[in-house]
């Protein structure tokens, strides 16, 4: 009887302990849920504008035509994954790194190899006619460097770029070969010159992508309203032609129509009996677009830009490859950042400030939702931007990033306090100064001419 009583007592105590533990777990879960709710509510009511970059840039918005109107204000091309790169693509830039001494600048064209981010690729060039059938020049240096590519040549068509490093010619390694032997190797080879070339951001200038803006008269296709209508046309760097009713509508309203020019047929048209008329027949669809310019010079400007969009060279600049790789890393995994911390970015369409965790590295500002977010959700290519401290509305100290041309976007950033703003301004100026326009780099380099061979 005593044993039975003791067993009953044990069972009762075990039941009580189990109920107590269950109730404590439920209390802990409820408490955790309340904390999460409070955290979310505080985020919504914070001074950052209540939204993060995750809610403004999505995979869908990046690949849509409306990507230019996202809250962050970044224009997103398909290959750039949420980065605003228009100013970078509008001109040629070379990377000179931390060495800004005029005696050694720019490193991109110096004799000393400096492999920052090497990418190898194969280039096949069909032999042309004349004394220089390949259409490019190589420099007497180690490694051998491509210093010039002729316009409309076989080399340009194959995608060879100024700044490429010759690694192999027709299957033979030329990295330690004299430049004259490499030239003879190419001349004595078959009619298809096969080269393995490498490039890095310190030597490899980007090639500007086509862009053109202006008013054109467009022939209407409607059966009711026939004739010509004046419209504002914008040929973007991604090869898409947008048009708006007025110039002021660009960036504020949706385009009336967007047309992909890659693979299209373009040319002067005389069938309508009107001067300065040219046509465009897109690869997709059966429509024919007729445009009328105000002069022959204006028509040629549009035809040249459209021709580049019709026959694009699908090849990323090495710096694009580097930044795309960095976007896959956690914020603190990007090596040797020049500045990092919280920044608020002005969404001008809603007049709110959106908070991001930012990393600055070599002229690129990466935006993360939080310190623990991966991947980066967007950013800015800062080449050519001017950094200054301004007052804006109620904020006495704001970082202004002003582009060199009015056609590009101006950005406003704000740190936690005035001292933080000054720290960011100093870092931004130094980071932007690592890049040099190609024409300036070439002008500096002309003071130190080296032997070249035209191929």
């Amino acid at each position: 009887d005593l044993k039975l009583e003791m067993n009953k007592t044990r069972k009762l105590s075990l039941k009580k302990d189990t109920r107590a533990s269950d109730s404590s777990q439920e209390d802990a879960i409820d408490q955790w849920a309340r904390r999460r709710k409070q955290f979310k509510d505080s985020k919504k009511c914070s001074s950052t504008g209540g939204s993060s970059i995750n809610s403004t840039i999505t995979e869908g918005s990046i690949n849509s035509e409306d990507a230019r109107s996202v809250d962050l204000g970044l224009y997103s091309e398909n290959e750039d994954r949420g980065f605003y790169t228009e100013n970078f693509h509008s001109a040629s830039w070379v990377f000179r790194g931390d060495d800004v001494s005029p005696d050694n600048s720019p490193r991109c064209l110096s004799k000393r190899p400096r492999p920052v981010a090497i990418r190898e690729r194969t280039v096949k060039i069909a032999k042309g006619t004349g004394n220089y059938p390949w259409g490019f020049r190589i420099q007497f240096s180690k490694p051998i460097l491509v210093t010039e590519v002729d316009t409309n040549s076989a080399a340009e068509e194959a995608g060879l770029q100024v700044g490429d490093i010759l690694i192999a010619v027709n299957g033979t390694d030329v990295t330690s070969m004299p430049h004259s032997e490499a030239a003879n190797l190419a001349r004595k080879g078959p009619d298809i010159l096969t080269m393995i070339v490498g490039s890095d951001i310190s030597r490899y200038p980007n090639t500007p992508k086509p862009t053109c803006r202006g008013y054109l008269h467009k022939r209407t296709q409607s059966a009711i309203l026939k004739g010509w209508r004046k419209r504002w046309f914008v040929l973007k760097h991604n090869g898409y032609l947008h048009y708006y009713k007025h110039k002021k509508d660009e960036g504020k309203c949706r385009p009336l129509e967007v047309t992909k020019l890659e693979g299209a047929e373009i040319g002067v048209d005389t069938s309508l009996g009107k001067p300065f008329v040219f046509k465009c027949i897109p690869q997709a669809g059966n429509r024919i677009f007729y445009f009328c310019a105000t002069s022959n010079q204006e028509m040629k400007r549009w035809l040249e830009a459209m021709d580049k969009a019709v026959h694009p060279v699908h090849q990323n600049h090495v710096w694009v490859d580097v930044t795309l790789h960095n976007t896959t890393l956690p914020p603190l995994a990007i090596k040797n950042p020049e500045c990092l911390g919280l920044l608020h970015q002005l969404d001008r369409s809603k007049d709110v400030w959106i908070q991001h965790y930012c990393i600055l590295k070599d002229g690129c500002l990466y935006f993360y939702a939080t310190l623990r977010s991966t991947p980066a959700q967007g950013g800015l290519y800062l080449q050519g931007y001017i950094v200054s401290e301004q007052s804006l509305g109620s904020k006495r100290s704001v970082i202004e990033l002003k582009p060199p041309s009015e056609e590009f976007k101006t950005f406003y950033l704000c740190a936690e306090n005035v001292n933080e703003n000054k720290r960011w301004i100093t870092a931004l100026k130094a980071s932007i100064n690592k890049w040099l326009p190609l024409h300036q780099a070439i002008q500096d380099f002309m003071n130190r001419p080296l032997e070249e061979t035209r191929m």
Side-chain angles (χ1 to χ4, degrees):
D1 293 340
L2 183 62
K3 287 181 180 179
L4 286 172
E5 281 296 324
M6 289 177 67
N7 286 335
K8 285 180 182 178
T9 306
R10 281 179 184 174
K11 287 179 181 178
L12 285 170
S13 64
L14 283 170
K15 284 182 180 179
K16 286 180 181 178
D17 291 339
T18 304
R19 286 172 186 170
S21 64
D22 288 344
S23 64
S24 64
Q25 283 181 355
E26 287 175 3
D27 290 339
I29 291 169
D30 290 339
Q31 188 178 6
W32 177 245
R34 284 195 298 272
R35 285 183 179 177
R36 283 180 62 84
K37 188 175 184 303
Q38 287 174 359
F39 175 75
K40 287 181 178 179
D41 291 340
S42 67
K43 290 288 281 182
K44 287 179 182 177
C45 299
S46 68
S47 61
T48 63
S51 63
S52 70
I53 199 168
N54 280 336
S55 64
T56 59
I57 292 186
T58 63
E59 196 68 38
S61 68
I62 286 174
N63 292 320
S64 69
E65 292 299 337
D66 298 329
R68 68 195 178 285
S69 61
V70 294
D71 288 344
L72 187 64
L74 302 180
Y75 176 81
S76 305
E77 297 179 359
N78 292 343
E79 71 273 17
D80 292 335
R81 292 199 42 95
F83 280 77
Y84 185 82
T85 65
E86 282 202 282
N87 192 51
F88 177 77
H89 287 318
S90 69
S92 293
W93 299 89
V94 290
F95 185 77
R96 58 179 175 178
D98 297 315
D99 183 9
V100 295
S101 170
D103 295 333
N104 298 318
S105 177
R107 279 185 170 180
C108 59
L109 296 173
S110 69
K111 287 184 179 181
R112 293 170 296 169
R114 183 173 179 258
V116 177
I118 292 292
R119 180 189 65 177
E120 294 183 10
R121 68 189 193 283
T122 301
V123 175
K124 294 185 177 182
I125 307 174
K127 190 173 185 179
T129 58
N131 295 327
Y132 311 106
W134 311 111
F136 67 95
R137 290 177 186 265
I138 55 175
Q139 178 182 286
F140 181 69
S141 60
K142 286 189 178 181
I144 300 168
L145 188 70
V146 176
T147 55
E148 185 178 342
V149 178
D150 296 342
T151 305
N152 298 324
S153 65
E156 184 185 58
E157 188 176 341
L160 192 68
Q161 300 276 351
V162 173
D164 280 336
I165 300 165
L166 266 61
I167 297 173
V169 174
N170 293 331
T172 303
D173 189 320
V174 297
T175 52
S176 58
M177 186 180 290
H179 128 284
S180 56
E181 288 185 24
N184 289 332
L185 193 66
R187 292 192 182 104
K188 294 177 180 179
D191 288 345
I192 300 293
L193 176 62
T194 303
M195 300 189 299
I196 296 176
V197 297
S199 50
D200 65 69
I201 62 173
S202 68
R203 290 180 176 269
Y204 186 61
N206 66 306
T207 303
K209 296 184 180 180
T211 180
C212 206
R213 283 173 168 82
Y215 278 107
L216 290 171
H217 284 82
K218 174 183 169 293
R219 193 185 186 203
T220 58
Q221 304 287 336
S222 173
I224 301 172
L225 298 172
K226 290 185 177 180
W228 297 84
R229 296 288 182 270
K230 188 178 181 180
R231 296 289 181 259
W232 177 257
F233 284 85
V234 180
L235 175 57
K236 292 282 189 178
H237 299 292
N238 60 357
Y240 282 83
L241 182 66
H242 301 234
Y243 77 87
Y244 305 83
K245 194 171 184 180
H246 304 290
K247 179 180 179 180
K248 63 181 181 181
D249 295 336
E250 183 188 348
K252 296 180 180 178
C253 306
R254 285 188 176 187
L256 298 175
E257 193 166 350
V258 178
T259 305
K260 184 180 180 181
L261 294 189
E262 183 177 355
E265 180 185 337
I266 61 168
V268 179
D269 184 85
T270 56
S271 63
L272 300 177
K274 190 177 176 69
F276 317 133
V277 172
F278 56 102
K279 64 181 178 181
C280 173
I281 308 174
Q283 199 172 34
N286 299 317
R287 289 187 62 183
I288 302 177
F289 292 92
Y290 292 94
F291 308 106
C292 183
T294 55
S295 66
N296 190 51
Q297 184 178 1
E298 183 72 0
M299 181 180 69
K300 285 183 177 180
R301 182 174 77 93
W302 275 101
L303 285 173
E304 286 177 5
M306 284 184 170
D307 185 65
K308 290 180 180 179
V310 168
H311 306 100
V313 177
H314 293 288
Q315 183 175 301
N316 271 352
H317 179 258
V318 181
W319 181 229
V320 176
D321 291 343
V322 172
T323 53
L324 289 181
H325 169 71
N326 286 345
T327 61
T328 65
L329 303 175
L332 300 183
I334 297 179
K335 294 181 179 179
N336 303 318
E338 291 136 22
C339 202
L340 56 109
L342 292 175
L343 281 177
H344 296 76
Q345 190 257 338
L346 177 62
D347 177 0
R348 302 180 75 176
S349 63
K350 297 182 179 179
D351 196 26
V352 295
W353 292 85
I354 303 173
Q355 180 177 282
H356 315 295
Y357 191 84
C358 297
I359 302 288
L360 177 65
K361 173 69 175 174
D362 292 338
C364 183
L365 187 63
Y366 299 85
F367 290 111
Y368 291 84
T370 67
L371 176 61
R372 294 177 176 84
S373 298
T374 303
Q377 299 297 311
L380 302 175
Y381 279 22
L382 297 170
Q383 289 85 352
Y385 271 79
I386 299 170
V387 186
S388 64
E389 187 177 23
Q390 303 289 340
S391 59
L392 188 68
S394 60
K395 294 184 179 292
R396 289 185 299 172
S397 178
V398 171
I399 304 168
E400 181 186 65
L401 297 173
K402 193 172 183 179
S405 172
E406 292 182 358
E407 65 180 301
F408 306 120
K409 294 182 186 296
T410 300
F411 293 91
Y412 294 96
L413 305 170
C414 186
E416 297 298 316
N417 52 58
V418 176
N419 289 334
E420 277 291 287
N421 272 354
K422 293 185 184 301
R423 181 175 73 92
W424 274 101
I425 288 171
T426 302
L428 286 164
K429 287 181 178 179
S431 191
I432 292 170
N433 201 35
K434 291 184 176 184
W435 290 87
L436 199 67
L438 179 60
H439 65 86
Q440 186 179 337
I442 292 174
Q443 188 175 1
D444 293 346
F445 184 68
M446 290 298 288
N447 297 327
R448 297 180 296 149
L450 295 172
E451 181 187 345
E452 292 182 327
T453 299
R454 188 169 181 183
M455 303 294 294

